Each structure stands twice: as structure tokens, then as C-alpha cells.
Amino acid sequence: MNHLDVNSCHKSGLKTNMEVRVEDDTELNVLELHNCPLFLEKTTKLLNLEWPRSDTARKHNLEKSCASLPISLILTADNNGETTVIGHSRICSVPGDKNAVLIESVVVDKSIRGKGYGKKMMHETELFAKRKGYLAAYLSTHDKQSFYEHIGYFYCSPVFNMGANSGLLTEDMVKKLFGTTLDGECKTIGCGQSLKADKCCKTENNCAMAPADCDVSARQTYEVKQTDCKTTVSVAVPPAPPLPPPTNRSCCPNPLKVSWMKKEL
């Protein structure tokens, strides 16, 4: 693969920041959509064939692509002098994690699937993110787990995201909404109480954090200290309810179940 760094794209689709050839000599190019607005209509059609919505809403979403994030990348093919959009992916920021990106809206034209274009699209998307200094990529899927495992992704916990609008959520907003950043920073919450991802923090005045934020399954009792940090009340944690009995329904994949996956770049 040859990779070219340019700042614009022309109607021929030949000037791009990434370029690759396949065995049948069809020329494939990966372009930044905001540099090539002439492909907006074709990209809208490709995405709406996979995930139907109004053209107006789709175009509005795609027009958010910019030089920073989010960035929509399109895979184009030149056939008989006509350039066709055959693939798309979008790179978004992950609020609270400056070293990671979220890859979403990955699609390849249905008529050419199974020929390696999806793998090429993902490879170029990851390489693009890596060149911008990102160290990890997240994505979610409900039916393509095997494909992503094959190209190096592993299962992980969900990450908070707002898709193309993730850039609107600042670090301060993340702290206010969740009381913590994704890198595990503690936030003080009244009477010296503090919150940290996956841990129960205590401050110097030894006030325990709110019970709802602790991993109560790891202990059968906890202490709640009042705001004057003097009175202590012990509360017993009730046992968890029993699991429902197994059903006799066949084990079919749940189309509503979403798997989160991650890859180190």
C-alpha cells in the first residue's frame, strides 16, 4: 500500500491521503469526506441502505466530519472513469480518554462483501488513527464479533460515547456527569467522600463514599457516616435475588445484544 499525504481531493479521486491497489487493478482510495464533499450524496446512499434514515438527517451527521474529530473516511473505487463510494468508517473521540478513539458506522457495499474490502477499510482507519497519535480503538457490534476478533479486537467493557457529537463533551463535563474521568481520577463528593472507577475511595477524614457507588457485593456491611463525620450507622446488605429458572427456548443470537471490543494500535 502506498500512502500519500495531500490536503485536497479532486473529482477524479486520484489525489488522496491514502491509496491502495487490489489484484484486479481497480484503484481504491481512502478519503477524508470533509475534503471531498462531492461524495456526500453517494456516502449518504451507502449508509442509508444499511441503516435507513432520512437523507437530510444522514447528511447533517456526515457534514460533522472535520480535520480533528469526528472524521468520516470513505473507500472509493474508480471503474471506467466513474468513482463509486464502496465503504465508510467514522473515527470519534472517547470522552475522558484522550488516547483512544471510537470507530463506528463501518460499512462496505453489500454487492462486494466477502472480498477483503472490510478488512482494508478497518486497516486504513486504524492506521489513520495511529498516525494522529491514538493508542487504542474501541467499537461495538451485535453481529460481527468474529470478523473483529480475526483482525485483533478483544472484548472489553463499554465506553461512554456520543458518536459524532463526542467532541462536544469536555473533560469538565465528564467529571460533572459521572463524578470521575475514565482514567480513574477521584472526585470529592460531600463530607470528604470520593468516587473512583471500579474502587471505593476514602479521604483522610475517613468518610465512606455513598453505598450505591461501592462494590457492595464484595462485602456484606458498609458504614455510612453523616456529614459531621461523627455518627456511624451500620447497615446490612440484603442478599441478591435468585436467578430466574432456565427457559427451553433455543439458543439464538440476540440481535439486540451489543458487544464492545478494543484493539491496541
Side-chain angles (χ1 to χ4, degrees):
M1 296 183 186
N2 297 318
H3 301 279
L4 309 176
D5 292 322
V6 299
N7 298 319
S8 63
C9 113
H10 295 274
K11 191 170 184 179
S12 65
L14 297 178
K15 289 189 176 182
T16 71
N17 60 320
M18 290 178 275
E19 181 178 294
V20 62
R21 284 187 175 276
V22 292
E23 294 180 359
D24 60 1
D25 292 331
T26 298
E27 186 172 340
L28 299 180
N29 300 292
V30 180
L31 314 172
E32 298 173 48
L33 183 58
H34 55 274
N35 287 337
C36 309
L38 59 99
F39 293 127
L40 180 61
E41 191 75 33
K42 293 180 178 180
T43 306
T44 297
K45 181 178 180 180
L46 174 68
L47 288 170
N48 279 355
L49 286 173
E50 186 71 20
W51 303 292
R53 68 185 303 187
S54 73
D55 287 356
T56 300
R58 180 69 68 186
K59 288 178 181 178
H60 176 71
N61 193 265
L62 289 172
E63 286 171 344
K64 295 178 182 179
S65 179
C66 59
S68 54
L69 294 180
I71 296 176
S72 281
L73 300 178
I74 56 174
L75 179 64
T76 66
D78 293 330
N79 294 312
N80 300 321
E82 181 179 356
T83 302
T84 305
V85 177
I86 63 172
H88 171 273
S89 68
R90 180 162 56 203
I91 305 173
C92 301
S93 60
V94 176
D97 191 342
K98 298 178 180 179
N99 295 318
V101 294
L102 172 72
I103 299 176
E104 64 173 17
S105 301
V106 181
V107 63
V108 170
D109 190 289
K110 293 181 180 180
S111 65
I112 56 171
R113 291 178 185 174
K115 298 181 180 180
Y117 295 116
K119 186 176 181 180
K120 293 179 186 296
M121 184 83 250
M122 284 300 300
H123 173 76
E124 294 297 332
T125 302
E126 294 162 2
L127 186 59
F128 188 95
K130 186 175 181 179
R131 287 177 170 176
K132 283 188 169 290
Y134 294 100
L135 305 178
Y138 291 91
L139 56 81
S140 62
T141 181
H142 70 275
D143 61 350
K144 297 294 188 293
Q145 290 89 340
S146 296
F147 168 75
Y148 289 117
E149 282 186 287
H150 182 69
I151 61 175
Y153 284 81
F154 55 88
Y155 294 96
C156 67
S157 300
V159 298
F160 177 77
N161 77 91
M162 295 174 58
N165 297 313
S166 292
L168 302 177
L169 195 63
T170 64
E171 188 74 15
D172 288 339
M173 293 172 67
V174 173
K175 292 180 181 180
K176 290 179 180 179
L177 286 171
F178 306 106
T180 182
T181 58
L182 296 185
D183 58 7
E185 177 185 345
C186 284
K187 175 187 174 183
T188 301
I189 51 172
C191 188
Q193 297 173 358
S194 56
L195 170 65
K196 186 174 182 180
D198 299 326
K199 292 184 179 180
C200 291
C201 303
K202 291 187 179 181
T203 53
E204 293 181 357
N205 58 12
N206 202 34
C207 288
M209 62 181 291
D213 298 318
C214 285
D215 181 10
V216 295
S217 63
R219 54 184 179 169
Q220 291 302 307
T221 61
Y222 56 77
E223 290 185 342
V224 179
K225 294 180 181 287
Q226 298 179 346
T227 54
D228 60 2
C229 296
K230 294 180 180 180
T231 304
T232 300
V233 179
S234 295
V235 184
V237 179
L243 295 175
T247 63
N248 294 324
R249 293 182 300 176
S250 60
C251 297
C252 299
N254 185 352
L256 300 179
K257 184 178 180 180
V258 175
S259 296
W260 280 89
M261 308 184 79
K262 178 182 180 181
K263 181 178 181 178
E264 305 293 340
L265 300 179

